[in-house]
């Protein structure tokens, strides 16, 4: 047991995991390119669902390896953070002293966010013509009332928007003008506009998703940013680092 | 029609020539003494003017496409180097920094400026992300120069400068990635996609994380850690320039 604890408390272990992660990422980036068709659907469903459905360990082994290394890194981070917290408790300027641990907690929250995103949630991409409705996640529906697009002199799309109506099983109906980077959030669902076309008939491409990991990842991002800034203050104040 | 084509040609020629002026001034900054310093600061002012002109053309912060982002990468490196040179004696490290800044700026010239901004980029989240992301390249660039100078001269001050600028760059890069995730989420409904570009961007973050951790370890402090840090800049440049050219990466999609 002591050997395991010492292993996970070591900075050397973290370096080994970092290196392993990077090696796997290099392999992954080349694998993504070599198996473009196979990986084309990876971003359309939650990761774990895609891994189970695609059932191709040979092409996607590096994702399993990445998850494994990230999990080990998470354990390493928990051990180092706990150890540092126990040692540093009671010191003055606690926030500044604990900034590396705040960073680690932020990273852990982001990992948790990714875990939830990969294992749960809902994603659906759909093309809806003007005047038509599409069912979403069983109990809701989207109706597209109008589609508009603005182009520049050379014909490039400059902006687009769609008037749509979100209705759910309870009878609630929400009208909304959907624009790029202005999604519609309704309950746990988010609706995003991808593109619009006016020919042969006006239609809009939308993504509907429910991402349970996003709030955790955002919380992790905020904690990580705070930790980073305090760490920077501490180190720069110290002078030579 | 003829007039319009002629105007387009002139605009394209100017887009190439204008960035070359600060690039030449930066190179002249290699001259010894005050003269070199004047040329360097003149280059910086000229570069700032060029960035401002692009901003006026686009009617927004010019950080939406490769030509402008690469130019900003060079500008942030130059600006940080100028600031540090006013506070510290950077000795011969300008022999590394100025050619680096000029080279990056010349690379920008090879990318045709694009004046159309995609609707999905029109949010403050994207601009903050882009500003911090390419600003961090400036810190990493100066860190690279300091690290290389330390490896060449063994001057301990430069090892410390390498670490502090890398740490500042890493913090900026981290916040840039977080803000970028927020932008990506409101634009595409997800904060992560599986493409070589995203993997290499994350890999570069881990790489500098490794450097910052390694520097704290016995046996790594000094030359080995400095070497890791210097190589990190190559990783970072590859993540931006290599992915998409050496490793094809599909454009960002849902």
């Amino acid at each position: 047991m002591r050997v395991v604890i010492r292993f996970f408390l070591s900075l050397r272990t973290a370096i080994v995991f970092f290196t392993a992660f990077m090696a796997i990422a290099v392999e992954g980036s080349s694998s993504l390119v070599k198996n473009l068709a196979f990986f084309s659907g990876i971003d359309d469903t939650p990761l774990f669902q895609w891994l189970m459905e695609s059932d191709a360990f040979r092409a996607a082994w590096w994702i399993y390896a990445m998850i494994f290394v990230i999990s080990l890194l998470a354990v390493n981070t928990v051990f180092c953070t706990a150890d540092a917290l126990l040692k540093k408790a009671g010191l003055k300027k606690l926030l500044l002293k604990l900034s590396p641990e705040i960073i680690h907690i932020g990273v852990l929250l982001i990992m948790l966010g990714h875990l939830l995103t990969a294992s749960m949630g809902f994603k659906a991409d759909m093309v809806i013509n003007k005047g038509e409705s599409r069912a979403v996640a069983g109990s809701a529906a989207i109706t597209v009332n109008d589609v508009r697009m603005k182009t520049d002199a050379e014909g490039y799309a400059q902006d687009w928007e769609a008037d749509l109506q979100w209705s759910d099983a309870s009878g609630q109906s929400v009208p909304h003008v959907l624009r790029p980077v202005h999604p519609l959030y309704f309950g746990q669902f988010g609706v995003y506009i991808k593109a619009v076309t006016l020919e042969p008939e006006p239609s809009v491409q939308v993504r509907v998703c429910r991402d349970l990991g996003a709030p955790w990842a955002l919380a992790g991002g905020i904690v990580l940013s705070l930790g980073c800034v305090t760490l920077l203050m501490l180190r720069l104040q110290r002078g030579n680092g | 029609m003829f007039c319009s084509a002629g105007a387009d040609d002139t605009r394209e020629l100017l887009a190439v020539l204008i960035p070359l002026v600060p690039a030449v001034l930066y190179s002249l900054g290699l001259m010894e003494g005050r003269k070199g310093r004047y040329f360097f600061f003149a280059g910086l002012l000229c570069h700032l003017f060029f960035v401002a002109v692009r901003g006026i053309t686009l009617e927004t912060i010019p950080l939406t496409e490769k030509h402008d982002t690469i130019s900003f990468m060079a500008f942030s490196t130059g600006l940080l180097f100028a600031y540090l040179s006013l506070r510290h004696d950077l000795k011969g490290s300008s022999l590394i920094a100025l050619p680096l800044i000029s080279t990056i700026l010349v690379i920008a010239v090879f990318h045709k400026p694009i004046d159309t901004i995609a609707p999905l980029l029109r949010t403050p989240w994207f601009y903050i992300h882009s500003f911090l992301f390419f600003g961090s390249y400036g810190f990493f660039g100066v860190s690279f120069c300091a690290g290389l100078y330390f490896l060449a001269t063994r001057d301990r001050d430069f090892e410390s400068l390498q670490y502090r600028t890398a740490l500042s760059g890493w913090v900026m890069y981290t916040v840039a990635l977080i803000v970028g995730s927020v932008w990506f989420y409101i634009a595409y409904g997800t904060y992560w996609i599986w493409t070589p570009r995203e993997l290499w961007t994350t890999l570069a973050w881990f790489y500098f994380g490794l450097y910052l951790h390694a520097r704290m370890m016995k046996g790594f402090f000094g030359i080995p850690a400095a070497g890791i840090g210097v190589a990190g800049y190559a990783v970072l440049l590859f993540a931006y320039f290599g992915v998409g050219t050496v490793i094809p990466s599909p454009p960002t999609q849902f």
Side-chain angles (χ1 to χ4, degrees), chain A residues 186-204:
Chain A
F186 192 85
Q188 288 185 326
F189 288 95
V191 185
Y192 304 82
I193 191 165
K194 181 179 179 182
V196 302
T197 47
L198 299 178
E199 302 288 339
E201 52 188 318
S203 62
V204 58

Side-chain angles (χ1 to χ4, degrees), chain A residues 29 33 43 117 158 192 235 239, chain B residues 122 163-164 185 191 200 248:
Chain A
S29 70
V33 175
D43 296 313
T117 298
Q158 279 196 315
Y192 304 82
R235 289 283 195 264
Chain B
R122 290 204 193 109
Y163 169 72
R164 283 183 288 136
Y185 190 78
Y191 56 94
W200 272 91

Side-chain angles (χ1 to χ4, degrees), chain B:
Chain B
M1 186 72 183
F2 178 78
C3 285
S4 156
D8 281 352
D9 287 348
T10 311
R11 270 190 65 211
E12 274 184 30
L13 189 67
L14 281 175
V16 173
L17 290 179
I18 292 174
L20 286 179
V21 176
V24 170
L25 289 170
Y26 286 139
S27 303
L28 291 172
L30 288 169
M31 286 180 175
E32 274 189 35
R34 279 191 172 185
K35 207 184 277 179
R37 182 173 268 213
Y38 289 147
F39 274 120
F40 172 50
F41 279 90
L44 206 57
L45 279 174
C46 195
H47 198 163
L48 178 66
F49 174 73
F50 160 62
V51 171
V53 167
R54 282 294 297 154
I56 292 164
T57 309
L58 293 173
E59 296 177 347
T60 187
I61 303 160
L63 288 170
T64 53
E65 47 88 41
K66 270 203 160 175
H67 177 84
D68 293 327
T69 51
I70 297 169
S71 160
F72 184 72
M73 204 186 273
F75 180 72
S76 60
T77 310
L79 189 66
L80 180 66
F81 193 79
Y83 170 74
L84 290 171
S85 72
L86 293 174
R87 291 174 60 103
H88 307 280
D89 179 10
L90 295 179
K91 298 174 186 169
S93 62
S94 59
L95 289 173
I96 304 162
L98 298 184
L100 176 74
I101 298 163
S102 298
T103 308
I104 297 173
L105 197 49
V106 169
I107 292 170
V109 171
F110 288 101
H111 294 81
K112 194 182 161 192
I114 299 168
D115 294 344
T116 308
I117 300 167
L120 289 162
L121 307 182
R122 290 204 193 109
T123 163
W125 290 107
F126 175 77
Y127 289 109
I128 297 168
H129 156 70
S130 215
F131 177 80
L132 292 173
F133 191 78
F134 294 104
S136 76
Y137 270 73
F139 280 89
F140 288 127
V142 173
S143 174
F144 164 78
C145 298
L148 210 55
Y149 191 75
F150 164 69
L151 289 176
T153 63
R154 304 288 189 271
D155 185 335
R156 283 272 165 209
D157 289 346
F158 281 85
E159 196 280 332
S160 171
L161 182 66
Q162 179 195 17
Y163 169 72
R164 283 183 288 136
T165 45
L167 177 65
S168 306
W170 187 77
V171 168
M172 222 164 155
Y173 192 84
T174 305
V175 179
L177 293 188
I178 290 161
V179 175
S181 303
V182 175
W183 160 62
F184 216 72
Y185 190 78
I186 60 167
Y188 299 98
T190 182
Y191 56 94
W192 172 263
I193 55 167
W194 291 92
T195 66
R197 188 170 296 288
E198 271 65 28
L199 279 174
W200 272 91
T201 305
T202 312
L203 188 153
W205 185 82
F206 268 88
Y207 189 95
F208 275 97
L210 182 146
Y211 161 68
L212 296 173
H213 280 81
R215 191 181 174 273
M216 292 192 291
M217 287 174 63
K218 263 186 193 168
F220 274 103
F221 185 84
I223 293 168
I228 293 171
V230 166
Y233 192 58
V235 174
L236 204 69
L237 291 181
F238 185 80
Y240 191 66
F241 295 107
V243 179
T245 49
V246 181
I247 300 175
S249 186
T252 298
Q253 290 290 326
F254 267 39

Side-chain angles (χ1 to χ4, degrees), chain A residues 7 98 140 175 217:
Chain A
F7 174 75
L98 294 180

Side-chain angles (χ1 to χ4, degrees), chain A residues 34-48:
Chain A
K34 280 183 206 154
N35 305 293
L36 216 53
F38 174 73
F39 286 108
S40 62
I42 192 170
D43 296 313
D44 299 337
T45 44
L47 179 66
F48 290 167

